[in-house]
């Protein structure tokens, strides 16, 4: 199943690339963990992921100039267009993958979906995503150039948001994934980059990271961040 | 164990929900094959499909536009795809049900 899911993921990325929109998107969420293997280049790094969610972050204001209909782009692969809950965020569902588009939530925030006409999609606004937009790395593989959050930004972002999860399974998955990426950064002797990105965070977010890590007993990680 | 069980339950729920969604989606796409009939030197197009024990023919016209043809072909492709995904989800749901009702250590 994992092999089939991976090939479906690559098919999605290739189609977005061919449509000229991939360069304006950032692949976030657990699929980043998979693509970090091209960054770490370590045999010990585990790319195992337990999710079907494939999340794309759309920086706003968007630089997308072409207009496409993402549902039409993936329809023949068996994706269904579903509106999540009463709010109307669009999710493209398939037995092996669930594609969602996210935008950073700013100001007071709103429950309403954010319509992206260039993609014909209702995106979901979420907090703390600007931090990921500010810290990305390029990954080149199989003729694709995609943007993912810097692994340190990925881990730090998860250290903030895991407490917001309602489901125990998602809570534990966030922590496990973030610690796996964080530990690989330390093994690759990239503490300096981790601290630099941590220091770039808003003071309140830094405090939140420390508080959350202390609450799960990850004092060693706190020590590394504080230098 | 609780977390794993919750995960399996969630996955089972998702599989059943998606299976239902595919069955709904199937209704949007008419089945059948395009049939070309020649009657007294004239060509007529029909869509043939099974309705219970009977095979029905729905008249589409003397000519099929490129759009009609494309829509019918797409509809057929999607029906095949959706059916195969329904089977896949069915197998997954059976597997998850077995796993959920298995004995715990």
């Amino acid at each position: 199943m994992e092999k089939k899911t991976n090939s479906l993921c690559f098919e999605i990325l290739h189609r977005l690339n061919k449509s000229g929109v991939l360069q304006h998107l950032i692949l976030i969420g657990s699929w980043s963990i998979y693509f970090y293997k091209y960054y770490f280049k370590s045999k010990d790094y585990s790319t195992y992921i337990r999710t079907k969610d494939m999340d794309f972050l759309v920086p706003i204001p968007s630089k997308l100039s072409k207009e496409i209909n993402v549902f039409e782009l993936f329809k023949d692969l068996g994706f269904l267009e579903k509106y999540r809950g009463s709010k109307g965020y669009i999710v493209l569902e398939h037995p092996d993958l669930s594609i969602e588009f996210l935008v950073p939530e700013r100001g007071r925030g709103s429950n309403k979906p954010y319509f992206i006409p260039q993609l014909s999609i209702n995106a979901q606004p979420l907090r703390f995503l600007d931090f990921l937009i500010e810290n990305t790395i390029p990954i080149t593989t199989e003729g694709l150039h995609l943007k993912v959050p810097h692994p340190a930004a990925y881990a730090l972002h998860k250290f903030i948001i895991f407490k917001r999860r309602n489901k125990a399974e998602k809570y534990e998955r966030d922590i496990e994934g973030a610690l796996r990426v964080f530990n690989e950064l330390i093994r690759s002797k990239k503490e300096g980059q981790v601290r630099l990105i941590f220091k770039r965070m808003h003071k309140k977010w830094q405090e939140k990271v420390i508080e959350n890590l202390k609450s799960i007993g990850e004092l060693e990680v706190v020590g590394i961040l504080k230098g | 164990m609780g977390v794993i069980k919750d995960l399996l339950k969630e996955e089972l729920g998702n599989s059943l929900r998606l299976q239902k969604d595919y069955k709904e989606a199937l209704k949007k796409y008419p089945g059948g094959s395009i049939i070309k009939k020649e009657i007294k030197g004239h060509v007529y197009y029909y869509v043939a499909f099974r309705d219970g024990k009977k095979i029905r023919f729905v008249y589409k016209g003397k000519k099929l536009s490129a759009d009609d043809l494309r829509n019918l072909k797409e509809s057929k492709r999607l029906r095949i795809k959706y059916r195969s995904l329904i089977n896949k989800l069915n197998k997954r749901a059976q597997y998850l049900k077995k796993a959920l009702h298995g004995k715990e250590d």
Side-chain angles (χ1 to χ4, degrees), chain A residues 104-105 126-132 157 160-161 164 205:
Chain A
E105 186 179 73
L126 283 179
R127 286 273 167 211
F128 307 113
L129 294 182
D130 272 318
F131 173 63
L132 298 181
H157 177 253
I160 297 179
I161 63 156
R164 295 175 156 228
W205 294 9

Side-chain angles (χ1 to χ4, degrees), chain A residues 87-89 103 105 109-115 122-126:
Chain A
K87 291 163 193 166
Y89 310 124
V103 289
E105 186 179 73
S110 151
N111 260 346
K112 286 181 187 167
Y114 184 93
F115 180 60
N122 281 349
Q124 183 181 12
L126 283 179

Side-chain angles (χ1 to χ4, degrees), chain A residues 46-58:
Chain A
S46 164
T47 57
Y48 173 68
I49 46 173
R50 286 185 293 175
T51 181
K52 291 191 298 185
D53 300 347
M54 192 176 188
D55 300 328
F56 289 99
L57 171 57
V58 187

Side-chain angles (χ1 to χ4, degrees), chain A residues 148-178:
Chain A
V148 291
H150 188 288
Y154 175 87
L156 291 167
H157 177 253
K158 289 290 185 198
F159 290 150
I160 297 179
I161 63 156
F162 76 86
K163 283 264 179 174
R164 295 175 156 228
R165 300 291 201 183
N166 295 326
K167 291 181 183 170
E169 191 268 319
K170 283 198 171 182
Y171 177 99
E172 290 191 11
R173 194 170 65 196
D174 274 357
I175 298 171
E176 186 277 322

Side-chain angles (χ1 to χ4, degrees), chain A residues 53-114:
Chain A
D53 300 347
M54 192 176 188
D55 300 328
F56 289 99
L57 171 57
V58 187
I60 46 172
S62 170
K63 287 179 183 168
L64 287 158
S65 52
K66 284 187 179 176
E67 283 197 13
I68 61 159
N69 182 325
V70 279
F71 171 56
E72 289 295 329
L73 193 64
F74 306 139
K75 197 173 163 184
D76 67 304
L77 297 169
F79 279 89
L80 294 179
E81 187 178 44
K82 305 302 292 178
Y83 290 82
R84 187 163 280 179
S86 56
K87 291 163 193 166
Y89 310 124
I90 291 176
V91 184
L92 304 179
E93 289 198 285
H94 182 281
D96 298 330
L97 274 184
S98 192
I99 305 172
E100 231 176 307
F101 290 82
L102 308 168
V103 289
E105 186 179 73
R106 289 166 188 159
R108 286 185 178 180
S110 151
N111 260 346
K112 286 181 187 167
Y114 184 93

Side-chain angles (χ1 to χ4, degrees), chain B residues 32-46:
Chain B
S33 306
I34 305 154
I35 303 288
K36 187 176 154 186
K37 285 189 182 182
E38 264 192 65
I39 303 168
K40 292 179 184 171
H42 296 284
V43 174
Y44 303 96
Y45 287 93
Y46 294 81

Side-chain angles (χ1 to χ4, degrees), chain A residues 22-36:
Chain A
L22 186 64
Q23 56 183 317
H24 301 296
L25 305 175
I26 304 166
L27 179 66
I28 63 167
S30 299
W31 273 97
S32 312
I33 294 180
Y34 175 83
F35 285 98
Y36 290 150

